Amino acid sequence: MVNGFFLASGSSVPVGIAYRFVYILFIIGMIIFEKLPKSYFTYLTIFFILGNVLLFLMQSVFLNNSLSWMIADLSVFVKYFLWVLIPYYVYQRKAIFKTFRFENIFITLGTLLTIELLIPYFLGVGRQTYASAEAGYKGFFFEQNSISFAFIITLTMTTYVLIQALQKKVGE
């Protein structure tokens, strides 16, 4: 939402890029400081990341990429590696994650997401997804496919919790 607010106001502050770099440094640090289990998944993750870094470096050398191109490529690789590092982080701490009530977390996130879309809609600020047709979401968000994906996930979890609550009521 913060990134969308800056973009909608005409400022090009790279909030999302800075957030991803801080987040990947944090997650790498947390993975390294935890004991690395000697498992197939650990070796697969390490070889995947090292192999991709080597490909990235070889590509940069063979294509004679400038430093600015390498930095631009690196920002894409950060997104790419997060899809591997986040599941590995959860895998390392699976005993802790089994104690979480993910239903409550997803309902809270879904509520916040809805509020973050309703406030700009009612205040008449933000960006329309398809401005020429006045269609889609209006808000501070710029990643509309991600917002749709987040709605699908939160709707699925909310429906799951609702069905469980209804089954408990019927069973009582």
Side-chain angles (χ1 to χ4, degrees), residues 50-70:
L50 289 177
N52 278 282
V53 167
L54 286 173
L55 285 172
F56 167 69
L57 292 174
M58 286 174 34
Q59 171 187 320
S60 297
V61 168
F62 286 124
L63 295 177
N64 237 359
N65 287 350
S66 65
L67 183 61
S68 62
W69 274 65
M70 289 176 68

Side-chain angles (χ1 to χ4, degrees), residues 15 25 31 35 50 76 81 90 124-125 136 160 170:
V15 175
L25 290 176
I31 288 172
K35 182 182 178 216
L50 289 177
V76 173
F81 286 142
V90 172
V125 295
Y160 172 74
V170 170

Side-chain angles (χ1 to χ4, degrees), residues 7-158:
L7 290 172
S9 66
S11 301
S12 62
V13 178
V15 175
I17 294 170
Y19 168 77
R20 276 191 298 278
F21 275 110
V22 169
Y23 185 64
I24 199 161
L25 290 176
F26 169 77
I27 205 159
I28 288 171
M30 294 302 291
I31 288 172
I32 290 171
F33 289 126
E34 185 74 17
K35 182 182 178 216
L36 292 174
K38 293 181 180 178
S39 70
Y40 174 75
F41 191 53
T42 299
Y43 295 124
L44 182 66
T45 303
I46 290 170
F47 287 129
F48 177 82
I49 291 173
L50 289 177
N52 278 282
V53 167
L54 286 173
L55 285 172
F56 167 69
L57 292 174
M58 286 174 34
Q59 171 187 320
S60 297
V61 168
F62 286 124
L63 295 177
N64 237 359
N65 287 350
S66 65
L67 183 61
S68 62
W69 274 65
M70 289 176 68
I71 291 171
D73 286 346
L74 186 62
S75 70
V76 173
F77 264 88
V78 167
K79 288 182 193 179
Y80 180 61
F81 286 142
L82 281 175
W83 283 99
V84 176
L85 293 173
I86 292 171
Y88 188 78
Y89 174 84
V90 172
Y91 169 74
Q92 268 187 317
R93 293 157 179 81
K94 59 185 164 195
I96 296 169
F97 278 95
K98 286 181 180 178
T99 63
F100 289 173
R101 300 231 354 130
F102 285 104
E103 300 90 10
N104 295 339
I105 294 170
F106 276 103
I107 288 174
T108 303
L109 290 174
T111 303
L112 290 173
L113 178 64
T114 304
I115 290 169
E116 290 172 352
L117 286 170
L118 288 176
I119 289 172
Y121 176 78
F122 286 120
L123 294 178
V125 295
R127 174 182 161 92
Q128 194 78 30
T129 307
Y130 304 104
S132 60
E134 294 188 18
Y137 305 111
K138 182 169 188 166
F140 295 127
F141 301 105
F142 277 73
E143 294 289 332
Q144 302 311 325
N145 290 337
S146 298
I147 299 301
S148 297
F149 187 63
F151 269 134
I152 290 168
I153 292 171
T154 56
L155 179 63
T156 303
M157 290 305 294
T158 304

